[in-house]
Amino acid sequence: MEFIDLQSVNRGLAVPLPKCDVCIVGSGPAGSTIAQELSNTGLRVIILESGGFERHPSMDALNEVENVGRPRAPDQWSVRNRIVGGSSHTWGGRCATFDEIDFERRSWVSQSGWPIEFGELVPYFDRSAKHLGLAIGSGFTDESFWEFAGKKPPANEVDPALLLPFFWQFSRDRAEAYPFEYMRFGRHLTQNLGSNVTLLTGATASRVLVDANQWAQCIEFITLDGCRHMLDAQTIVLCAGGIENARLLLNSASGDRGGLGNGYDQVGRYLMDHLRGPVGSFDLAGSKSLQRRFGRYNVSGHLFRAGLRLSPEIQRQEGLLNSAVWLGETLAPDDPWEALRRFAGRNPDLPRDTVNLIKNAPLLFRGLNDYFGARNGFPRKLQELTLECICEQMPDPDSRVTLSEQRDHLGMRLPRVDWHSHPDESRTMWRTAEFVSDEFARLGLPTPRLAEWVRDRAPIPSSFVDVAHPTGTTRMSTTPTKGVVDRNCEVHGVAGVYVAGSSVFPTAGHCNPTQMIVAMAIRLADHIKAVTRTAATSTVAAHAG
Ligand SMILES: Cc1cc2nc3c(=O)[nH]c(=O)nc-3n(C[C@H](O)[C@H](O)[C@H](O)COP(=O)(O)OP(=O)(O)OC[C@H]3O[C@@H](n4cnc5c(N)ncnc54)[C@H](O)[C@@H]3O)c2cc1C
């Protein structure tokens, strides 16, 4: 793999760019996965990455937004990382596949329904395991987890007409010394790519240009010194994240057209994220059984977390969105496992960590027994135990990204974000919390004290900001009047320009998006390989003829 760093001012112009067949914009989980899948093929691939290998204030500044809607995270670094590897640099590693109902057309969820089916993605979920460092890629999120884990399911299961078991799996980078380090896509990128791939860092894509027939022609990018460069490419894949993918298409306007692929004013619409936060809390005293049942499970060195999701039946019956719950743990300042982790990393906070270890020795012994005997995660010392809920958002065309009049320091217009929340999201969170409370009471488990806003059936608090899952802004649709990309993730009406990432999801489900992003990136890489092979074969045939 060739690596060219264009970050240093004035170096940009001096570097001759290699030729390329496929240009990938962004090296987060989507872009890195596609690059790896295209590695060691006959295709010449260039990755344009705006950031570098280290965080830099001038790169962070390129992620600024103008927010005019619902309150959002004020610090963009907490939700979007402009760096090689993208937001996997700071992500939480939680993976799961969407539920089958997420792909269905649901009469009570406007604009729901995907052009592709759940079953079509299963082989890609399986292949995503390698990229994400998962034990298995599919079939672990429901009750089949118990068989896979070699464990007995709980005897007193929740009522499946209301709630179903749900399991998340944590990504694991086995190359790292710390056993529970997540896969960070930038870390091993250069080793994982073949000689047909070139990575350009400090290269911020600004516009995609097409020819008169609406075929991809080239991409413009800007280096930190403000110089603009053109890279010819007949296949361009935008993998810049849920906000930036829309920003790039909108910024690629030419003449009186309001952006590339935007003939029907769809680019940037349907912005979703997840509403996530506490809907109740538990007394710590007497909560051990609950913590054990809805805790972490260690299966052959891979961690899983147990929770519950709303059943499809109750979603249909009450017209609810999809949602899930799990136990939220706030660690006590003297949690001994944190102290042990610091010792393992040769970075202890002496003498505080030594005192913590001695003081909490019984918890450590119980933890070792749990971990090696019962194969559960380590029990932690907590100061608070909450019921956390994550809720799907309603696709809303007025919740959207447009271009602001304000510009960043490279001269690009900022994304203007007008993010909305729908009343059905509040209703879904109240009902989910109520079902959990009633079911726990019926099963003799500790019941949560519901949060005041849930008890009062008030709207979701404004403290529930976006959680780094920007979704839907270049949604997949069968027709260009309803979305931006087709079932192959190619922009409607524009040949050779593709989009990858959660911006293509028509609906957001309750699930953290990255496993879906990686699975769909593999699917797109397969498609690109197939169409470029067909194009190469027809060129050879034409020459022969
Ligand atoms: C703190 C945190 C915790 C998270 N936890 C989880 C979790 O537990 N589970 C989960 O599933 N997800 C989680 N996420 C979200 C997850 O990180 C994203 O879903 C994932 O990184 C998206 O991948 P992507 O490749 O589509 O986009 P990104 O990761 O956003 O990557 C986009 C890349 O494009 C580059 N770029 C942007 N604009 C341009 C441009 N104009 N030109 C060139 N390059 C550009 C960026 O620098 C970046 O490298 C978390 C995110 C954060 C920030």
Side-chain angles (χ1 to χ4, degrees):
M1 194 218 69
E2 192 183 0
F3 166 47
I4 303 173
D5 181 16
L6 298 176
Q7 280 193 89
S8 3
V9 184
N10 293 331
R11 279 199 49 207
L13 282 176
V15 182
L17 292 177
K19 292 224 167 300
C20 107
D21 301 304
V22 180
C23 171
I24 298 171
V25 178
S27 65
S32 293
T33 300
I34 294 175
Q36 287 182 52
E37 292 287 325
L38 298 183
S39 205
N40 299 315
T41 60
L43 294 167
R44 293 162 303 180
V45 178
I46 291 189
I47 308 173
L48 294 182
E49 169 54 54
S50 180
F53 279 92
E54 303 285 334
R55 184 178 175 189
H56 196 279
S58 54
M59 300 306 178
D60 287 0
L62 298 176
N63 265 348
E64 281 312 312
V65 301
E66 182 197 359
N67 184 28
V68 296
R70 189 184 162 80
R72 290 175 69 81
D75 171 15
Q76 287 302 301
W77 178 257
S78 71
V79 285
R80 304 195 290 144
N81 306 159
R82 207 172 266 234
I83 195 166
V84 176
S87 298
S88 71
H89 193 75
T90 57
W91 76 318
R94 190 188 274 236
C95 293
T97 59
F98 274 25
D99 303 324
E100 291 194 50
I101 191 170
D102 294 324
F103 294 81
E104 288 171 17
R105 166 92 192 95
R106 291 165 281 166
S107 58
W108 63 99
V109 180
S110 81
Q111 309 296 332
S112 57
W114 287 47
I116 55 177
E117 287 176 8
F118 175 87
E120 199 181 316
L121 287 179
V122 172
Y124 301 103
F125 295 149
D126 293 337
R127 285 168 63 187
S128 74
K130 183 177 72 123
H131 292 273
L132 289 157
L134 305 178
I136 45 166
S138 67
F140 62 86
T141 59
D142 59 11
E143 62 285 350
S144 52
F145 167 80
W146 298 116
E147 200 187 327
F148 156 73
K151 286 174 177 291
K152 265 209 194 122
N156 53 350
E157 202 40 284
V158 286
D159 179 356
L162 300 174
L163 297 163
L164 295 171
F166 193 83
F167 297 87
W168 295 266
Q169 181 180 178
F170 288 89
S171 152
R172 174 171 182 190
D173 183 350
R174 283 193 173 266
E176 290 298 312
Y178 176 58
F180 302 115
E181 175 62 334
Y182 313 131
M183 196 65 86
R184 310 211 180 269
F185 283 73
R187 194 174 278 159
H188 309 295
L189 188 62
T190 48
Q191 296 100 286
N192 290 346
L193 296 176
S195 57
N196 63 320
V197 183
T198 303
L199 170 65
L200 297 188
T201 54
T204 302
S206 48
R207 273 191 312 148
V208 176
L209 287 92
V210 292
D211 66 14
N213 298 317
Q214 298 291 297
W215 279 71
Q217 195 175 29
C218 60
I219 183 148
E220 179 191 72
F221 66 93
I222 316 177
T223 39
L224 266 188
D225 54 7
C227 288
R228 288 172 189 264
H229 310 263
M230 287 290 182
L231 177 72
D232 290 341
Q234 262 135 45
T235 302
I236 295 169
V237 195
L238 304 184
C239 306
I243 304 285
E244 301 299 322
N245 284 343
R247 182 187 188 188
L248 266 166
L249 287 177
L250 291 170
N251 204 51
S252 302
S254 65
D256 56 359
R257 288 207 337 263
L260 193 63
N262 200 22
Y264 294 89
D265 189 20
Q266 293 291 296
V267 175
R269 291 190 181 273
Y270 302 101
L271 170 66
M272 296 166 276
D273 205 288
H274 283 122
L275 276 321
R276 184 180 76 190
V279 290
S281 57
F282 297 91
D283 285 333
L284 277 173
S287 68
K288 280 207 177 73
S289 60
L290 189 70
Q291 285 190 49
R292 189 158 298 199
R293 177 160 170 182
F294 293 102
R296 293 183 197 80
Y297 293 90
N298 179 350
V299 186
S300 316
H302 289 267
L303 280 188
F304 292 74
R305 175 176 261 295
L308 296 165
R309 69 169 168 115
L310 271 192
S311 76
E313 284 83 345
I314 199 71
Q315 289 180 52
R316 273 190 198 101
Q317 209 173 303
E318 296 202 6
L320 299 173
L321 293 152
N322 206 351
S323 75
V325 288
W326 68 94
L327 296 186
E329 299 158 337
T330 308
L331 296 185
D334 61 340
D335 173 49
W337 297 101
E338 275 304 299
L340 208 58
R341 192 151 75 93
R342 283 191 288 272
F343 269 107
R346 298 201 176 91
N347 183 27
D349 179 0
L350 291 170
R352 207 186 68 166
D353 283 344
T354 317
V355 173
N356 281 352
L357 290 179
I358 296 167
K359 199 173 71 179
N360 294 300
L363 182 71
L364 280 175
F365 285 121
R366 183 159 67 81
L368 290 173
N369 180 46
D370 259 30
Y371 187 73
F372 292 108
R375 289 191 287 139
N376 288 333
F378 294 117
R380 313 299 296 260
K381 187 165 184 186
L382 304 183
Q383 65 180 19
E384 200 185 5
L385 188 67
T386 52
L387 180 67
E388 296 289 311
C389 183
I390 188 164
C391 180
E392 174 184 23
Q393 284 208 277
M394 181 74 86
D396 171 1
D398 294 329
S399 179
R400 67 188 297 198
V401 174
T402 52
L403 292 182
S404 162
E405 289 309 316
Q406 298 171 35
R407 291 178 186 264
D408 65 22
H409 61 85
L410 296 181
M412 276 182 76
R413 291 172 71 183
L414 296 189
R416 183 174 187 272
V417 181
D418 188 2
W419 181 43
H420 294 196
S421 170
H422 189 276
D424 281 359
E425 293 150 22
S426 304
R427 190 165 63 84
T428 298
M429 289 182 105
W430 309 328
R431 292 300 283 146
T432 307
E434 288 162 4
F435 293 139
V436 171
S437 182
D438 293 351
E439 278 299 287
F440 281 12
R442 186 179 67 79
L443 298 175
L445 291 167
T447 53
R449 251 183 328 278
L450 296 185
E452 206 174 303
W453 67 273
V454 174
R455 276 200 315 268
D456 295 349
R457 297 198 154 203
I460 293 168
S462 57
S463 56
F464 286 32
V465 294
D466 53 317
V467 293
H469 303 164
T471 300
T473 53
T474 64
R475 74 201 308 258
M476 186 187 277
S477 64
T478 43
T479 65
T481 54
K482 299 273 184 205
V484 178
V485 299
D486 65 14
R487 66 188 319 283
N488 293 321
C489 298
E490 190 168 25
V491 174
H492 284 298
V494 184
V497 179
Y498 296 89
V499 186
S502 47
S503 64
V504 304
F505 299 178
T507 52
H510 64 71
C511 218
N512 309 58
T514 309
Q515 195 189 352
M516 285 286 294
I517 291 174
V518 170
M520 289 179 66
I522 299 169
R523 178 176 175 272
L524 174 54
D526 278 4
H527 174 76
I528 290 172
K529 278 189 266 188
V531 292
T532 45
R533 203 177 304 127
T534 315
T537 318
S538 11
T539 315
V540 172
H543 284 308

